[in-house]
């Protein structure tokens, strides 16, 4: 517990901004837009530098925080219930993918989790660009595997990645 708290306390937001410079953020935005053109999902990519001390003391997990962010950003608020949140907790190099109910009915959580665990290896190795793209491509692969290609449709969620 102490180790986890220290990791979060000593992961300032500027560290995340250094690992996700504007050029990478633009690349991620373009990749999100590309995935959404091909697949029936609305993606959000969010990186949070660390949790608040109170959340750490209460034992908030990366998964629980991802669910909170999913709700706060209204990723669930799409016409076809096809929102997907890729959440990265930088201090722990943890990745969580939360899919809305329209997608969760067809894609087992175990498949999303397997993608997360693969992506975490990139982040733990300091490969943030590769990790971000692996997360988006992994989500796209699951959407393409389980759903028909996207035909038209409007973009319901912002494509810009978000740093919290």
């Amino acid at each position: 517990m102490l180790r986890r708290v220290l990791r979060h306390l000593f992961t300032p937001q500027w560290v995340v901004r250094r690992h996700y410079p504007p050029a990478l953020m633009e690349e991620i935005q373009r990749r999100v837009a590309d995935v959404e053109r091909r697949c029936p999902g609305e993606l959000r990519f969010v990186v949070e530098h660390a949790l608040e001390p109170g959340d750490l003391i209460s034992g908030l997990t990366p998964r629980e925080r991802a669910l909170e962010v999913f709700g706060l950003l209204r990723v669930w608020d799409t016409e076809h219930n096809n929102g997907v949140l890729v959440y990265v907790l930088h201090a722990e190099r943890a990745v969580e993918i939360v899919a809305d109910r329209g997608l969760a009915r067809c894609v087992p959580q175990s498949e999303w989790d397997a993608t997360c665990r693969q992506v975490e290896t990139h982040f733990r190795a300091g490969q943030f660009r590769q990790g971000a793209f692996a997360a988006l491509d992994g989500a796209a692969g699951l959407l393409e595997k389980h759903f028909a290609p996207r035909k038209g449709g409007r973009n319901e969620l912002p494509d810009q990645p978000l740093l919290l």
Side-chain angles (χ1 to χ4, degrees):
M1 174 69 154
L2 178 61
R3 189 171 158 178
R4 183 176 188 229
V5 170
L6 291 174
R7 218 174 326 150
H8 285 260
L9 288 175
F10 292 107
T11 304
Q13 197 164 31
W14 65 265
V15 169
V16 174
R17 292 193 187 286
R18 189 181 74 201
H19 292 301
Y20 292 89
L24 177 55
M25 297 296 277
E26 289 174 17
E27 285 184 75
I28 292 170
Q29 181 175 342
R30 285 192 298 273
R31 183 68 61 101
V32 167
D34 179 56
V35 168
E36 289 180 350
R37 274 191 293 278
R38 297 181 286 127
C39 302
E42 290 289 327
L43 276 68
R44 287 298 318 256
F45 186 89
V46 175
V47 179
E48 187 162 27
H49 74 287
L51 297 177
E52 296 293 325
D55 291 335
L56 293 168
I57 292 168
S58 71
L60 186 72
T61 66
R63 179 71 183 176
E64 291 166 339
R65 179 59 180 154
L67 290 167
E68 284 180 4
V69 172
F70 183 85
L72 290 170
L73 296 178
R74 300 178 60 98
V75 177
W76 54 267
D77 193 16
T78 60
E79 181 179 357
H80 300 289
N81 299 315
N82 62 346
V84 176
L85 171 68
V86 176
Y87 173 81
V88 179
L89 182 54
H90 189 78
E92 296 185 23
R93 306 296 199 264
V95 178
E96 294 292 338
I97 298 176
V98 180
D100 200 0
R101 60 192 173 275
L103 303 174
R105 279 193 285 269
C106 301
V107 182
Q109 186 60 45
S110 60
E111 291 188 40
W112 297 111
D113 291 342
T115 299
C116 292
R117 303 303 76 89
Q118 290 175 330
V119 171
E120 286 171 348
T121 61
H122 290 289
F123 289 126
R124 288 193 178 109
Q127 301 168 337
F128 303 104
R129 180 181 185 279
Q130 296 90 329
F133 291 157
L136 295 171
D137 293 343
L142 289 174
L143 293 170
E144 289 170 338
K145 174 181 172 185
H146 292 281
F147 299 96
R150 184 175 188 155
K151 293 181 174 95
R154 62 186 176 94
N155 191 8
E156 297 179 69
L157 297 174
D159 293 341
Q160 305 92 322
L162 184 61
L163 298 180
L164 299 178

